[in-house]
Every structure is written in C-alpha cells, then in structure tokens.
Amino acid sequence: MKDGSVFKKIINKEIPASIVYQDKRVTAFEDIKPKAPIHILIVPNIFIASSNDINKKNKNILAHMFYIAINIAKEKKISEEGYKIIINCNKNGGQEINYLHMHLLGGKKINSLF
Ligand code: AMP
C-alpha cells in the first residue's frame, strides 16, 4: 500500500489538487485518475489509516464524510440519477493509499459487484 502522506499534503495545500470542499473536519478533492465523470475523494483531516482504525472516539467522522459526499453529489447534480459511495479497506478491499478515504462516483452507471 502507498504512503498516505500524499493526502495529508493535499489537505495542508502543500501539493496541488482540485479541492471541492474543505472544513475543519474533512477535505474533498477530485481523484487524480477519475473512474467516472464525477470521482471525488472525501478524507478526514486527521490521519486515520483505514476503516479498521475507526473506533468509539472517532466514529462520528464517518457520518460527516457521508453527509459531505451526499451534499457534493447534490451540488454536482448527480443525486437524482444516482451515485456510488465506496470505502476500500486493505489488500482484499483494494485500498491503495494508506489514509481512510471515501470515493464518490457518478455521472454514469457505475458497475456493481451485486
Ligand atoms: P484506493 O484504491 O481506494 O486506495 O483509492 C486511492 C485513490 O486515490 C485512487 O483512485 C487514486 O487515483 C487516488 N489518488 C492517488 N493519488 C492522488 C492524488 N495525488 N490526488 C488525487 N487522487 C489521488
């Protein structure tokens, strides 16, 4: 898995990225290799390596990440046609970057495993 410091640098604006939303708790930016017309990553501003590191103390961040993803979907006008929200975890889940992130994908039919 790749080092997650790249996302920390995006949050801190130390490297360029297309940030679409930022508040005290989360940052959302365009995926550098989009898999759909809309492909945005939502990350917590505090470092959390993966969903395995969600605990009683930090679990509320997930609700906020979801809320922001859904709001971005509405802003980008993909909510009526629909979208997919994905969190990959570790090797079998296909997580490439060691920093918890949520994918918001839309603007076309997103293939499903089910
Ligand atoms: P995952 O496979 O869930 O770990 O997804 C990692 C995602 O991060 C991939 O879709 C990459 O294209 C994306 N990514 C990697 N580096 C950057 C970057 N510097 N800026 C934006 N997205 C990135």
Side-chain angles (χ1 to χ4, degrees), residues 41-111:
L41 302 178
I42 300 97
V43 302
N45 292 343
I46 51 156
F47 175 70
I48 299 173
S50 80
S51 50
N52 284 338
D53 300 290
I54 291 294
N55 55 44
K56 219 173 185 179
K57 211 173 151 197
N58 66 15
K59 66 183 168 60
N60 290 343
I61 195 70
L62 285 177
H64 192 56
M65 288 164 71
F66 260 109
Y67 178 66
I68 295 307
I70 290 160
N71 277 348
I72 292 170
K74 286 177 186 164
E75 272 168 29
K76 298 280 182 188
K77 311 225 179 294
I78 59 169
S79 53
E80 285 302 313
E81 290 200 311
Y83 50 84
K84 200 176 287 294
I85 290 175
I86 296 171
I87 294 178
N88 296 324
C89 181
N90 284 351
K91 183 166 59 79
N92 282 1
Q95 183 181 0
E96 284 174 13
I97 304 268
N98 186 41
Y99 196 118
L100 174 67
H101 52 282
M102 184 176 271
H103 296 257
L104 169 66
L105 295 143
K108 70 167 191 181
K109 176 100 172 87
I110 310 298
N111 288 337

Side-chain angles (χ1 to χ4, degrees), residues 14-25:
E14 289 162 9
I15 59 168
S18 297
I19 293 179
V20 297
Y21 178 85
Q22 187 166 48
D23 65 22
K24 281 186 190 162
R25 299 166 72 197

Side-chain angles (χ1 to χ4, degrees), residues 26-44:
V26 302
T27 300
F29 52 91
E30 288 177 9
D31 195 290
I32 204 165
K33 284 187 196 158
K35 279 70 173 186
I38 303 289
H39 187 175
I40 290 165
L41 302 178
I42 300 97
V43 302

